[in-house]
Amino acid sequence: MVNKLVLQSVINKYYLGENESVKWKIKDKTITIDFMSVNKEVIGKVIHTGFDVEDSELAIFDTKKLLNLLGITQGDLIFELEKGKSVYTKMKFADESFNLTYALADPLLIGKVGSVTEPQWDAVLPLEKEHVDNLVKAKNALAGIGSMTLSIDVDLNGDNMCVFTFGDEQGHNNKITYQMYGTIKQEKVEIPFNSDMFRNILKENKDLESGHIFISYQGLMKLQFNSEDTLSIYYMVRKEESAF
């Protein structure tokens, strides 16, 4: 049995509205999903424990269709797999009203996910639910503007702070800034990131119990979210580059 809402949450953490094709790797009741965004701007991993499904590797080609199927169900779901020779071919879900079948893909059709070599981080920011909510609000208030700039500044007390600026960089356009504190190396930097993807990552991880944002001034951000049974990690490259 798996819970519908838990399964949807795990899926949305990697899907982010666009990441369709992935492999679910299930071992010892732990599911691990590695993924990479279409434009290679984000590479990530979702790990969820307590996933009571047999050890398997499942090739998901169209995540949106799977979410649409799960959307009509309720509560706890019976989850079964169908296997042909050595490859799993179908996932079957059932609740009190519906029986659903989702056709799995050939694992060879799922693209390889790149790897990330972590740099020495220049800033480490503790991330709490309040920060997540506020950053999402800031982005939503400037819907349609895809730019976000991350910079380092000093507050009135002389403490280093990381400033997230949403909005166009032109001087007369609308802007919102939000400050966060942590262990921050002082340096004059302005790093652009995709604010839409940043918001989508935060929105799907509002259930965090703890988290961190790690920043390299060379143009890489790592977002990590922890909850009781889920760990999600995202590496996001600066907007102009596709380094993965």
Side-chain angles (χ1 to χ4, degrees), residues 55-71:
D55 290 1
S56 52
E57 183 174 294
L58 311 176
I60 312 294
F61 188 75
D62 191 331
T63 292
K64 184 176 181 180
K65 287 184 178 177
L66 175 57
L67 284 170
N68 288 343
L69 287 175
L70 293 172

Side-chain angles (χ1 to χ4, degrees), residues 216-228:
S216 165
Y217 297 161
Q218 299 303 309
L220 183 68
M221 180 190 301
K222 174 185 176 183
L223 298 103
Q224 179 171 314
F225 305 88
N226 299 80
S227 65
E228 182 180 354

Side-chain angles (χ1 to χ4, degrees), residues 5 12 55 80 90 94 110 115 120 124 150 154 162 175 182 186 200 218 221 225:
L5 295 179
N12 281 318
D55 290 1
E80 297 177 339
K90 294 177 182 177
I110 309 301
S115 60
Q120 189 76 30
V124 180
L150 191 153
V154 179
C162 185
K175 289 182 182 179
Q186 179 59 41
N200 291 345
Q218 299 303 309
M221 180 190 301
F225 305 88

Side-chain angles (χ1 to χ4, degrees), residues 26-117:
I26 304 165
K27 185 173 178 59
D28 299 331
K29 296 186 179 182
T30 296
I31 179 171
T32 302
I33 306 166
D34 294 289
F35 61 92
M36 182 165 61
S37 64
V38 176
N39 61 7
K40 300 182 180 180
E41 205 167 49
V42 173
I43 285 178
K45 179 192 296 284
V46 177
I47 302 171
H48 177 78
T49 58
F51 196 70
D52 195 9
V53 177
E54 64 190 84
D55 290 1
S56 52
E57 183 174 294
L58 311 176
I60 312 294
F61 188 75
D62 191 331
T63 292
K64 184 176 181 180
K65 287 184 178 177
L66 175 57
L67 284 170
N68 288 343
L69 287 175
L70 293 172
I72 67 171
T73 64
Q74 290 186 352
D76 291 331
L77 309 177
I78 297 172
F79 182 4
E80 297 177 339
L81 299 174
E82 188 173 300
K83 194 173 187 179
K85 295 184 179 179
S86 60
V87 177
Y88 288 92
T89 57
K90 294 177 182 177
M91 294 194 298
K92 296 183 176 181
F93 301 94
D95 66 1
E96 293 183 356
S97 303
F98 298 103
N99 292 284
L100 312 175
T101 300
Y102 177 82
L104 294 166
D106 185 332
L108 296 177
L109 294 176
I110 309 301
K112 187 177 180 181
V113 175
S115 60
V116 178
T117 301

Side-chain angles (χ1 to χ4, degrees), residues 121-126 152 160-162 180-186 212-215 217:
W121 300 110
D122 297 303
V124 180
L125 313 176
I152 305 303
N160 293 341
M161 61 182 181
C162 185
M180 290 182 64
Y181 293 87
T183 303
I184 302 170
K185 176 184 173 184
Q186 179 59 41
H212 286 86
I213 298 177
F214 302 83
I215 301 158
Y217 297 161

